[in-house]
Amino acid sequence: MKETVLVIDFGGQYNQLIARRVRDLNVYCELIPCGTPLEKIKAKNPIGIIFTGGPNSVFGADALKVDEGIYTLGVPVLGICYGAQLIAHQLGGKVRSAAVGEYGQVKAVYKKSVIFDGLPEEGVCWMSHTDSVSELPDGFEITAFTADCPVAAMQNTQKRIYAVQFHPEVAHTQNGTLMLKNFLYKACGASGDWTMKDFVARKVAEIREKVGDKKVLCAMSGGVDSAVAATLVHRAVGDRLTCVYVDHGLMRKNETEEVRQVFKDGLGMNLILADAEELFLRKLAGVTDPESKRKIIGREFITVFEREAEKIGKVDYLVQGTIYPDVIESGSGDSAVIKSHHNVGGLPDVVDFEEIIEPLRDLFKDEVRAVGFELGLPEQVVMRQPFPGPGLGIRVIGEITKEKLETLREADFIYREEIAKAGLSGQIWQYFAVLTDTRSVGVMGDMRTYDYTVALRAVLSVDAMTADWAKIPYEVLGAVSSRIVNEVRNVNRVVYDITSKPPATIEWE
């Protein structure tokens, strides 16, 4: 059984980032709600527990808490921000609303602690709090302080409980990764057995045992996630897997043929190419709401899968390329729903499958890519541009038509071609074109035009949880714009999106 650290979620903005940092340090972790019963926590046999930050106050009516029995498990605990305050509050200390809140980078002084082992005596940490610990619980000692926060960190070495008021998981905290590593390896005694090689071996064995001699149908979208999911399942069950690639008319230029070459011709998978363009365009006609489009596309995917399943006989499992950011953005627990994902949330009752297999559901995008390389997939597949399940359907703003899709396909192809030509494709995490629903006046060949605006999007990211817009050189943007307005029909204006995530999402819809 693999080593597990539990990250207990109190609703803070950096909660997923904590999980990422732990995994980056080769320790498996699971993010669980703060209301998880103590018996379930014990059943997971964790080697350590981390309390995340959160927006609440520990003495507020809406305060989120944990079963206090967690402190008697004998398992090392690390509280971060709200988690630190909760530890103090539940163990008999006091928390107060600070006279001066701390936000941003603050200089801290560190004392002797396993958490700060190997760190200089002073360093910059990232604070984001108004409340703070004002009185230590019995048995605790201060291990860090700032000018305005006397208890920036504390510990009870006998009980192996540690707490920091700041956020070691963010890049702004100097040596924050080392602090987390110290907790995992020196406090919890982790051995670091979470690697993608280990993940592949375990997941293949798990899928093989689950599937047995039954049949599996895979939702092949053409993107990285579904490619890796399909290859992982194929390694486990071989010819019992049938991949259905739905050509819904919402794919990028030349995409269908590329998928055929890689998976059918190259890997020898059972691949069915279902031509469903007419069906999708008919169902999407007149639809402009983004959520409605996503739901229609998701529903019709299932319809096509069901139709193809009937042709090949009984199919017991459906594979989907759901990854962790999909799950997060679709909402879970107290989290807000940012946007729904067509491959999250289970199957409609009408679908005749026994169960969904989502082998990548717990992985972030960079982990998915690492699995792809571990499986031996070619670089052009593993490092392919992230592409949403609904395809170009959510990159055409407003009503979707075949003409608009062709316009976007050509503009997107030119954009990707120029980025590659400039040698930037390996430096930008994701880049694509969007056909907006905005028309404006232009002049082309001494004639007045009234055509669409294409928006270019390019971002830098690691796992899609946060992203910054890419600073593409002006000459490259100029070349892309010039080619699009000259070579693509119905476009007379090109703009560049310089919004980060948050507040925007990476996709426009």
Side-chain angles (χ1 to χ4, degrees):
M1 184 176 180
K2 60 181 176 294
E3 296 175 329
T4 299
V5 167
L6 296 180
V7 180
I8 298 185
D9 187 356
F10 291 97
Q13 60 178 321
Y14 301 127
N15 298 354
Q16 316 306 330
L17 186 56
I18 295 172
R20 282 287 295 108
R21 294 290 183 254
V22 172
R23 292 190 188 185
D24 283 345
L25 292 164
N26 301 119
V27 179
Y28 177 73
C29 71
E30 295 181 9
L31 189 69
I32 63 173
C34 59
T36 302
L38 185 62
E39 289 305 311
K40 285 192 175 181
I41 291 175
K42 290 170 65 176
K44 291 181 179 291
N45 195 29
I47 64 169
I49 296 173
I50 299 176
F51 293 177
T52 75
N56 302 95
S57 174
V58 295
F59 37 75
D62 56 352
L64 300 176
K65 301 179 180 179
V66 293
D67 188 317
E68 293 187 24
I70 205 167
Y71 303 114
T72 65
L73 296 177
V75 174
V77 175
L78 172 64
I80 296 175
C81 196
Y82 178 86
Q85 297 162 20
L86 182 65
I87 288 172
H89 181 70
Q90 290 190 314
L91 295 182
K94 291 185 179 179
V95 177
R96 65 177 174 84
S97 184
V100 179
E102 288 183 301
Y103 299 94
Q105 291 180 297
V106 179
K107 182 181 288 186
V109 177
Y110 304 118
K111 298 184 178 182
K112 185 177 180 181
S113 170
V114 66
I115 302 299
F116 305 132
D117 192 25
L119 269 71
E121 185 176 326
E122 294 186 358
V124 172
C125 64
W126 182 263
M127 290 283 195
S128 181
H129 70 102
T130 301
D131 292 352
S132 61
V133 177
S134 59
E135 186 176 316
L136 296 177
D138 289 343
F140 279 76
E141 61 180 330
I142 295 174
T143 54
F145 62 88
T146 72
D148 294 310
C149 185
V151 187
M154 63 181 186
Q155 67 181 14
N156 183 320
T157 54
Q158 184 178 359
K159 294 184 177 180
R160 296 195 295 170
I161 299 176
Y162 310 89
V164 294
Q165 181 59 65
F166 53 86
H167 291 272
E169 71 274 18
V170 302
H172 306 294
T173 295
Q174 293 176 346
N175 296 304
T177 299
L178 179 55
M179 297 175 196
L180 292 173
K181 184 177 181 179
N182 284 340
F183 174 71
L184 296 171
Y185 286 87
K186 296 184 177 181
C188 302
S191 63
D193 66 351
W194 173 250
T195 64
M196 291 304 99
K197 181 177 182 179
D198 179 66
F199 172 84
V200 168
R202 287 174 177 157
K203 190 58 67 173
V204 166
E206 175 188 311
I207 294 170
R208 187 173 292 146
E209 181 178 0
K210 175 190 284 285
V211 172
D213 60 357
K214 296 180 179 178
K215 292 183 180 180
V216 186
L217 180 64
C218 179
M220 176 70 75
S221 72
V224 176
D225 304 333
S226 68
V228 174
T231 307
L232 189 59
V233 174
H234 184 255
R235 176 169 292 191
V237 304
D239 289 343
R240 288 193 295 282
L241 169 69
T242 298
C243 294
V244 175
Y245 172 84
V246 179
D247 186 5
H248 48 19
L250 306 173
M251 308 307 290
R252 292 169 289 198
K253 187 174 181 179
N254 301 329
E255 190 130 43
T256 299
E257 187 53 38
E258 290 173 3
V259 168
R260 184 203 307 271
Q261 290 175 357
V262 171
F263 297 101
K264 189 178 181 66
D265 301 339
L267 297 178
M269 290 186 185
N270 293 329
L271 177 64
I272 297 173
L273 292 112
D275 184 357
E277 179 182 18
E278 184 180 337
L279 169 66
F280 277 82
L281 289 177
R282 186 172 69 251
K283 295 291 184 179
L284 290 166
V287 178
T288 59
D289 176 67
E291 279 296 286
S292 297
K293 288 197 284 188
R294 284 178 173 273
K295 289 175 181 176
I296 289 169
I297 293 169
R299 185 175 66 243
E300 296 311 314
F301 252 98
I302 297 299
T303 299
V304 174
F305 290 154
E306 186 178 36
R307 183 188 68 199
E308 297 302 330
E310 290 175 353
K311 293 179 182 178
I312 63 175
K314 180 175 174 51
V315 175
D316 304 279
Y317 295 97
L318 174 68
V319 177
Q320 291 186 333
T322 310
I323 66 173
Y324 206 25
D326 297 340
V327 177
I328 296 164
E329 290 197 336
S330 293
S332 60
D334 295 325
S335 302
V337 175
I338 300 171
K339 57 188 178 184
S340 65
H341 288 260
H342 79 279
N343 54 347
V344 178
L347 289 169
D349 292 338
V350 297
V351 180
D352 186 22
F353 295 99
E354 184 175 314
E355 191 178 340
I356 291 181
I357 296 177
E358 296 174 304
L360 311 177
R361 186 182 178 88
D362 295 326
L363 300 186
F364 291 92
K365 179 66 83 171
D366 58 323
E367 292 177 312
V368 173
R369 294 190 192 281
V371 168
F373 281 123
E374 186 64 37
L375 290 168
L377 286 172
E379 184 174 359
Q380 63 266 31
V381 172
V382 176
M383 299 308 295
R384 193 175 195 170
Q385 285 285 294
F387 193 57
L392 299 182
I394 58 170
R395 293 180 181 173
V396 171
I397 309 302
E399 183 180 7
I400 299 170
T401 66
K402 187 169 184 175
E403 183 181 44
K404 284 183 178 180
L405 289 167
E406 287 302 321
T407 296
L408 177 56
R409 245 187 291 273
E410 293 302 322
D412 183 73
F413 183 79
I414 288 171
Y415 185 27
R416 290 186 287 127
E417 193 172 58
E418 288 297 322
I419 289 292
K421 189 186 299 183
L424 298 174
S425 55
Q427 302 175 33
I428 304 174
W429 191 77
Q430 186 175 7
Y431 49 96
F432 56 88
V434 175
L435 182 63
T436 74
D437 203 27
T438 299
R439 287 187 169 188
S440 62
V441 175
V443 178
M444 300 178 74
D446 296 326
M447 297 291 291
R448 177 187 183 278
T449 62
Y450 190 65
D451 281 327
Y452 287 105
T453 297
V454 164
L456 305 178
R457 182 75 158 140
V459 297
L460 306 177
S461 184
V462 173
D463 52 27
M465 295 305 302
T466 61
D468 192 16
W469 61 278
K471 282 67 175 177
I472 297 176
Y474 290 152
E475 58 269 24
V476 177
L477 291 174
V480 175
S481 176
S482 179
R483 283 194 61 190
I484 288 176
V485 296
N486 280 284
E487 299 176 29
V488 182
R489 294 180 56 191
N490 304 319
V491 177
N492 67 359
R493 193 178 299 271
V494 177
V495 298
Y496 187 52
D497 182 349
I498 59 170
T499 318
S500 297
K501 175 186 179 179
T505 53
I506 295 175
E507 297 287 348
W508 274 41
E509 288 192 344

